[in-house]
Amino acid sequence: MRRITLLAAALLGFSALSPAALAQEIDQSRGHDSRVDYESLTRFGPWDDRNYQLTQDDLALLAPNESELIVSVPAFYRVELRRTMTLLQTGPSQYPRSALPRFLNRYAGYLVDGKFYRQATHEDGRWQVVQSGGLERSQVLTKALEGEVRVTSPNAAAESAVAINPIDTNIVIAGSNGPGGGQRMHFSSDGGETWTQSAPLPLGGTCCDPTVAWSSDGSKAYAATLGFAVFVYRSADNGATWTDLDNEPGNDPRREIGGGVDKEYLHVDTYPDSPHLDNVYLTWHEGNVLQFARSTDMGHTWTEQAFSGASDMTGIGSDITTDKQGNIYYFWPATQSRKIWLRKSTDGGVDFDPAIEVAMTEGGFDFPIPSMEIRRVFIYVSAATDFSDGPYGNSIYASWTDNTGPDSGIPANNHARIQVAYSRDGGDTWSITTPHETADSDSVDRWHQWIAVGPDGTVYVVFYDTRNDPTRSSVDFYFSRSTDGAQTFSKPERLTTVASPNISGNFEFGDYNGLDVVMDQLIGVFTDNRIEDTRGDDSVDIYAVGRTVGIPGLLFADSFESGDTSAW
């Protein structure tokens, strides 16, 4: 007899459940396809009521030796993985090691008669859910940021980046320029509800421009900052400390890349089927000459290269994204030619194709508006990819802020808008849309955007918006979304509850904000100047704002409470 007890609860911080398993009552009449023997699906994984939606065609996707694959995820999730990933059909190691934690985070556990369970056993070729200590729907929704929370303390922080752990959305990291001198790191273990400042980045000398990311399995976090070079760090404790690279040969807690650097950004290839899975990529510039570096060993060693110094190939404010095939898309706004450019690599960053023009811009580098008249609005690119299996899967997206016309040099005469470009053919051709209203472009400014794509292919864009202030001096943080591949966008929704007045001082709102969307959790981070004390003083801080976003087919549909499976 072979018996395996799986304490999946421990992966999510819950105590172990009783090993006494109750027999599931599987009702064949609830099944969607009468040809399927639903009771037999316990050969493949623990029972889950979402299995009732499986058809015989769905089950044809499973491997011939599926029952031999001892992975404690239910049949419906195995089918989902095989639809969205390229998996082997033979051998013992067909599923990724992250299959169980991904299932638990996305679906909260095994759903049996309206309750969620997190433990299962395997005995005599059958799986059994341990129906003890089941959780109600309300209990699995406890850790998700809804609304605003201040991240930094004490005062005086601007510019920020955020990344949600891809396996457990309770775990979030962020970086900020300040408070105090240098870059500060922050982490949350409750979905962004509360934040703790991390231990200082080792060796000191940090400046600014935070950028953060995760490895594909959520075990390693990455951060980079500017110093005399680009400084790269790695964390193995969810962002509490940043010394993990010290465990690599050489015993140095950070990597130093380039010299005379500015405006870096970091990207990790996390698509499971990518030939370059977990490669880490960096972009920055040195004297406006764009630079690139890659690491194929999780940030330990790096290979660098510079782009041409020709006018179209120089810029500041670049970003990188990757597609399902592992192709790299390197975007930047050219400060001389006023264009958004792209260079693509099909070999993991060894070589790059010639530049492709994505769009023209009205502004060049930056321009002043009433809410950003001294620091001026920075024209930078944010990029993302649709990893879903939906109709727009593998689309590439880029967003930037631009002036609506030539820069007049006078803040009151300039107007800022957001632009989004999308490509369905691997970056060869591009279409441009606007993710907000345009009829009010002469009276409302939108700027400091960031873009992200949810697991169902929904495109999200966050940005500052001055619509609530006729003087265009104070801002709120808004977001809009698109479910048709950025062809059209929803009416923007206000995320902040308190407006941020124009910030006195020459740094104002800094250069950019941040956004991440993982599973059903959206978190944006931004520079805020709201009045926070009884004296009426304001302070410059980093705030985070969260939303639970609806994803078709996930466990949080209202119909789950009633036991109706028609919405899954």
Side-chain angles (χ1 to χ4, degrees), residues 319-522:
D319 195 16
I320 288 171
T321 190
T322 50
D323 66 13
K324 292 182 178 183
Q325 290 74 43
N327 298 317
I328 300 171
Y329 298 83
Y330 186 126
F331 295 90
W332 74 94
T335 56
Q336 300 299 316
S337 63
R338 298 191 179 189
K339 294 180 180 179
I340 305 298
W341 289 96
L342 161 70
R343 290 193 72 180
K344 180 179 178 180
S345 172
T346 59
D347 57 9
V350 177
D351 297 294
F352 281 84
D353 295 338
I356 295 172
E357 181 182 326
V358 176
M360 295 286 295
T361 60
E362 291 285 351
F365 179 51
D366 63 12
F367 58 93
I369 58 175
S371 55
M372 194 72 162
E373 73 273 28
I374 299 175
R375 180 70 177 177
R376 300 164 61 98
V377 172
F378 178 35
I379 301 174
Y380 62 84
V381 180
S382 168
T385 301
D386 180 357
F387 285 149
S388 78
D389 200 34
Y392 306 105
N394 220 32
S395 292
I396 309 300
Y397 300 97
S399 67
W400 61 92
T401 303
D402 193 15
N403 205 342
T404 60
D407 181 4
S408 70
I410 302 172
N413 293 342
N414 285 332
H415 306 279
R417 63 178 176 176
I418 310 301
Q419 299 286 267
V420 172
Y422 62 86
S423 175
R424 316 274 194 235
D425 56 9
D428 289 342
T429 60
W430 293 87
S431 300
I432 314 298
T433 57
T434 303
H436 54 73
E437 304 92 334
T438 58
D440 57 1
S441 61
D442 288 339
S443 58
V444 178
D445 294 319
R446 284 98 177 183
W447 52 286
H448 268 23
Q449 91 301 328
W450 206 263
I451 194 168
V453 183
D456 64 340
T458 300
V459 181
Y460 299 90
V461 183
V462 293
F463 47 88
Y464 286 137
D465 192 303
T466 67
R467 71 180 67 202
N468 298 316
D469 182 357
T471 70
R472 297 162 53 210
S473 295
S474 62
V475 301
D476 282 288
F477 203 48
Y478 276 74
F479 87 110
S480 57
R481 70 184 99 194
S482 172
T483 58
D484 60 4
Q487 297 175 81
T488 62
F489 281 85
S490 66
K491 181 179 179 181
E493 300 175 49
R494 186 184 184 190
L495 290 168
T496 44
T497 59
V498 178
S500 183
N502 181 262
I503 295 176
S504 60
N506 57 3
F507 197 62
E508 296 184 291
F509 288 93
D511 285 342
Y512 56 90
N513 296 313
L515 172 67
D516 199 13
V517 181
V518 174
M519 309 295 181
D520 64 335
Q521 179 68 60
L522 176 150

Side-chain angles (χ1 to χ4, degrees), residues 3-146:
R3 182 180 179 88
I4 300 174
T5 300
L6 295 146
L7 299 180
L11 292 171
L12 296 186
F14 294 93
S15 60
L17 307 175
S18 167
L22 303 176
Q24 275 94 60
E25 294 184 3
I26 299 173
D27 183 356
Q28 180 72 18
S29 68
R30 293 178 64 186
H32 185 72
D33 187 341
S34 61
R35 298 172 296 172
V36 174
D37 178 4
Y38 290 94
E39 174 72 35
S40 71
L41 299 184
T42 58
R43 294 180 295 118
F44 303 145
W47 178 257
D48 189 297
D49 285 350
R50 287 162 287 209
N51 285 343
Y52 285 129
Q53 287 295 292
L54 291 173
T55 67
Q56 186 168 291
D57 290 340
D58 294 329
L59 297 179
L61 297 173
L62 300 180
N65 68 331
E66 194 73 35
S67 62
E68 300 172 9
L69 306 177
I70 309 302
V71 182
S72 54
V73 297
F76 88 91
Y77 190 61
R78 292 179 181 229
V79 169
E80 179 179 315
L81 289 176
R82 291 189 181 276
R83 276 209 177 96
T84 58
M85 301 170 61
T86 302
L87 301 177
L88 297 173
Q89 286 279 325
T90 59
S93 57
Q94 299 178 35
Y95 289 99
R97 299 286 292 176
S98 61
L100 175 59
R102 285 179 182 272
F103 166 74
L104 292 171
N105 190 50
R106 178 163 180 169
Y107 289 105
Y110 313 112
L111 177 62
V112 180
D113 295 332
K115 287 191 175 183
F116 298 91
Y117 302 92
R118 292 178 170 83
Q119 187 178 6
T121 62
H122 187 260
E123 184 176 343
D124 294 335
R126 294 277 177 171
W127 289 92
Q128 192 78 20
V129 174
V130 177
Q131 294 181 67
S132 175
L135 300 178
E136 303 288 346
R137 176 178 181 268
S138 60
Q139 293 175 283
V140 301
L141 283 172
T142 56
K143 293 184 177 181
L145 176 60
E146 292 285 343

Side-chain angles (χ1 to χ4, degrees), residues 194-250:
T194 60
W195 293 84
T196 301
Q197 187 166 299
S198 308
L201 292 172
L203 303 182
T206 66
C207 168
C208 43
D209 282 351
T211 174
V212 291
W214 289 94
S215 62
S216 63
D217 65 359
S219 66
K220 305 290 186 182
Y222 298 95
T225 183
L226 298 180
F228 59 79
V230 177
F231 296 159
V232 178
Y233 307 87
R234 195 175 72 193
S235 172
D237 55 10
N238 297 325
T241 63
W242 293 90
T243 58
D244 190 52
L245 285 173
D246 198 23
N247 296 316
E248 301 287 359

